[in-house]
Amino acid sequence: MLNSKMAAEGGGKEMNEIKTQFTTREGVYKLLTHSEYSRPNRVPFNSQGSNPVKVSFVNVNDQSGNGDRICFNVGRELYFYIYKGVRKAADLSKPIDKRIYKGTQPTCHDFNHLTATAESVSLLVGFSAGQVQLIDPIKKETSKLFNEERLIDKTRVTCVKWVPGSESLFLVSHASGNMYLYNVEHTCGTTAPHYQVLKQGENYSVHTCKSKSTRNPLLKWTVGEGALNEFAFSPDGKFLACVSQDGFLRVFNFDAVELHGTMKSYFGGLLCVCWSPDGKYIVAGGEDDLVTVWSFLDCRVIARGHGHKSWVSVVAFDHYTTSVEESDPMEFSGSDEDFQDQMIHFGRDRANSTQSRLSKRNSTDSRPVSVTYRFGSVGQDTQLCLWDLTEDILFPHLPLSRTRTHTNVMNATSPPVGATIITNASSNTTNGNNSGANTPGINSLSATLPRSNSLPHSAGTTTTTTTTTTTTTTTTNNTNKASSGGGIGSGIMDSAIATGVSKFATLSLHDRKERHHEKDHKRNHSMGHISSKSSDKLNLLTKTKTDPAKTLGTLLCPRMEEVPLLEPLICKKIAHERLTVLIFLEDCLVTACQEGFICTWARPGKVGLLSSQNQASSPSGTVV
């Protein structure tokens, strides 16, 4: 992979090269150029001033076995196709339904999965002028229009979703910061609604509609300051996570209308949010270029991920790769040749490691042996990042098996520019429990005094060995000089836990010593890459009553060095325009960019019928 190495070194045109495949521990994901969906003419859409391209899927369970349907908006147009995925090439000449709107643009949409059949589907579409339309693209009819006169809200619809488990209730958020609960059976009034307070709390209030007969909206939520950019229901449908332009994640008990917990971005607004499949974790992304992992149970930030070089537009969990395993997960990013070498290297350690972990976990804890959550993110930097959230981050206080020295190897070859590189060159830990254990994981950091991985100083800088991630295994109550000394003293170095095992194992003793004296210098400058962004401008633009300086360093928004910093498994440029969609399906993952191209990436071993076809470059220009 010479090209990727040249790109990592700030090379010329390779920087703009678009990836058509990438490798993780599961194998190779491949772009299926014949499965690309777009407008029928396949011409890149001039996206200046238009709303983000969005994609919705539904399965209508028809008898043919090909029940997947896809809906996407491009500019003023809305398309509804049979989605053939990895099985057959897309036929763009035959949309089931196509609509072109005047005076307003579709901004978001959502299918009702409960009521979908081969003869009828209920599709909600939100618009830039504030209306919400209920359509059936199979029957080709428009059944209802909500907020038609814009009496309820005049601002852009930012997100629309059916309430889980309901055939008639749906929730709509707007750029005004308001959310409204509607019932498709009820009408909207002919005059502006009057409201009375149902519940008020910190930076939110909920109102009911005062009227003689039941009418929409049933409820009005006012949440935070500025636009409410996205919301997501928990897997059980009981909780609602909202992210706003004021930089706050707010999680509500939806039925009880009560605030469960909050989190603040590092800076700027939060743009996207998603739940883990079990509802235990929430990931949010936004204008701080970070992905932030928040624990629903503990109501605190447990990790941040840095890999994007611009705003993060979508985050999503991969339900099909997220797993509870009885073996060590392997992480890999790099060329196929390196992957083969790595597989040979892993084979030696896996049996003993798994056995020791089984016995250790079973004797001390009822937790599953190995938990790995996979999630992905796409951003305005045109890059796709995949991340693994492992037990090292989730359960930082548990003793780790000594034999687990080669589990998570990250970016064993030169990563793309902007990807952080973990290579820890510190060896012996002095804590009794972990003596001699070069602990694996994304960052095996304790919650009491974790250290962030140092980041490259600029996008063009390549550091093949970055500074150590340091941590202690002391508890908050039992702090030693390492945990009370502010973080840069030599005391921490003595109790460092090495995580970048693959690189560490290849360093000679002499190299390790030479790395040692560089640590303090690099840690002092590790935030340069992030803070050099236009954070000051963003903070000025973000109108909020909460002073960011007061939240930084608190539970709402820990400092960068106070929580583990994840780095991506892969970080690949996959489009020419900013990315707006990331959806994980069973056989593939789907991405879309603002030019209006929806791309299908086959999972390892799922290429199917398309592998034998001549995969020539698509006329779209998005695939090289």
Side-chain angles (χ1 to χ4, degrees), residues 64-117:
S64 70
N66 189 15
D68 289 328
R69 302 289 181 267
I70 183 173
C71 170
F72 57 90
N73 60 291
V74 181
R76 297 185 298 120
E77 302 164 16
L78 188 75
Y79 292 93
F80 181 70
Y81 280 98
I82 293 176
Y83 179 69
K84 298 176 181 176
V86 300
R87 294 180 297 278
K88 292 181 181 177
D91 182 1
L92 298 185
S93 63
K94 299 177 182 175
I96 300 174
D97 195 16
K98 172 188 174 182
R99 296 170 188 240
I100 301 176
Y101 296 92
K102 294 179 180 177
T104 185
Q105 292 186 1
T107 58
C108 50
H109 28 85
D110 189 44
F111 287 106
N112 192 322
H113 297 268
L114 274 183
T115 60
T117 66

Side-chain angles (χ1 to χ4, degrees), residues 286-466:
E287 296 175 357
D288 53 11
D289 302 359
L290 302 169
V291 292
T292 303
V293 186
W294 190 79
S295 167
F296 174 78
L297 297 173
D298 298 337
C299 290
R300 66 179 183 88
V301 175
I302 60 166
R304 289 190 180 103
H306 183 248
H308 288 285
K309 298 194 286 291
S310 188
W311 296 358
V312 179
S313 48
V314 184
V315 287
F317 272 87
D318 182 351
H319 290 218
Y320 302 95
T321 307
T322 294
S323 60
V324 177
E325 302 171 344
E326 295 200 358
S327 62
D328 291 339
M330 290 192 301
E331 316 307 339
F332 183 80
S333 173
S335 69
D336 294 348
E337 295 89 339
D338 289 328
F339 186 67
Q340 297 304 322
D341 295 344
Q342 207 61 52
M343 291 300 286
I344 297 166
H345 178 64
F346 272 115
R348 288 194 291 271
D349 301 277
R350 290 174 65 78
N352 291 338
S353 176
T354 305
Q355 205 167 8
S356 65
R357 294 178 66 208
L358 273 167
S359 59
K360 183 179 279 287
R361 281 286 189 276
N362 291 342
S363 61
T364 60
D365 205 299
S366 58
R367 259 192 206 104
V369 172
S370 176
V371 185
T372 304
Y373 295 88
R374 167 71 55 81
F375 66 95
S377 57
V378 294
Q380 298 199 5
D381 57 1
T382 71
Q383 294 198 117
L384 162 71
C385 291
L386 293 182
W387 314 79
D388 264 7
L389 190 58
T390 61
E391 58 179 0
D392 310 298
I393 300 298
L394 304 176
F395 317 123
H397 295 300
L398 292 178
L400 291 160
S401 165
R402 289 188 192 184
T403 53
R404 291 184 57 206
T405 51
H406 296 285
T407 43
N408 296 343
V409 178
M410 299 213 158
N411 282 346
T413 59
S414 297
V417 177
T420 55
I421 307 165
I422 308 178
T423 302
N424 299 309
S426 181
S427 54
N428 296 326
T429 58
T430 55
N431 187 294
N433 291 335
N434 287 288
S435 176
N438 297 327
T439 357
I442 294 181
N443 295 334
S444 306
L445 302 185
S446 84
T448 54
L449 189 71
R451 289 280 150 227
S452 64
N453 296 308
S454 296
L455 304 175
H457 300 305
S458 67
T461 306
T462 300
T463 40
T464 49
T465 303
T466 334

Side-chain angles (χ1 to χ4, degrees), residues 252-282:
F252 296 95
N253 182 317
F254 185 63
D255 292 330
V257 197
E258 289 177 348
L259 186 65
H260 170 79
T262 58
M263 182 271 285
K264 173 75 172 63
S265 68
Y266 195 71
F267 64 74
L270 286 175
L271 304 176
C272 50
V273 64
C274 65
W275 291 80
S276 65
D278 56 9
K280 291 182 178 179
Y281 302 97
I282 294 172

Side-chain angles (χ1 to χ4, degrees), residues 1-42:
M1 295 284 280
L2 183 62
N3 285 344
S4 64
K5 291 181 180 177
M6 289 180 69
E9 293 163 12
K13 63 182 180 181
E14 290 84 2
M15 286 286 293
N16 207 36
E17 181 195 345
I18 289 178
K19 305 299 179 190
T20 57
Q21 66 178 53
F22 55 85
T23 305
T24 66
R25 70 165 184 267
E26 308 93 60
V28 182
Y29 289 75
K30 292 182 179 177
L31 177 67
L32 303 179
T33 53
H34 287 267
S35 290
E36 183 180 83
Y37 286 77
S38 67
R39 298 186 299 167
N41 60 12
R42 292 190 181 273

Side-chain angles (χ1 to χ4, degrees), residues 459-510:
T461 306
T462 300
T463 40
T464 49
T465 303
T466 334
T467 73
T468 38
T469 303
T470 60
T471 181
T472 65
T473 48
T474 57
T475 61
T476 311
N477 297 327
N478 182 26
T479 52
N480 56 21
K481 64 179 180 179
S483 57
S484 61
I488 304 178
S490 60
I492 290 179
M493 294 324 211
D494 296 333
S495 57
I497 299 179
T499 59
V501 182
S502 171
K503 285 279 178 66
F504 175 71
T506 62
L507 291 175
S508 68
L509 190 60
H510 175 69

Side-chain angles (χ1 to χ4, degrees), residues 500-550:
V501 182
S502 171
K503 285 279 178 66
F504 175 71
T506 62
L507 291 175
S508 68
L509 190 60
H510 175 69
D511 289 333
R512 297 176 202 174
K513 288 177 180 173
E514 282 195 343
R515 304 278 187 259
H516 201 78
H517 66 84
E518 297 174 9
K519 293 164 191 166
D520 291 352
H521 166 73
K522 287 190 177 177
R523 185 178 299 111
N524 286 334
H525 297 88
S526 65
M527 278 309 299
H529 186 50
I530 292 181
S531 60
S532 64
K533 302 275 178 189
S534 53
S535 55
D536 298 335
K537 293 178 187 174
L538 286 169
N539 283 331
L540 288 173
L541 292 172
T542 308
K543 294 179 181 177
T544 172
K545 293 177 182 175
T546 310
D547 183 1
K550 292 180 180 175

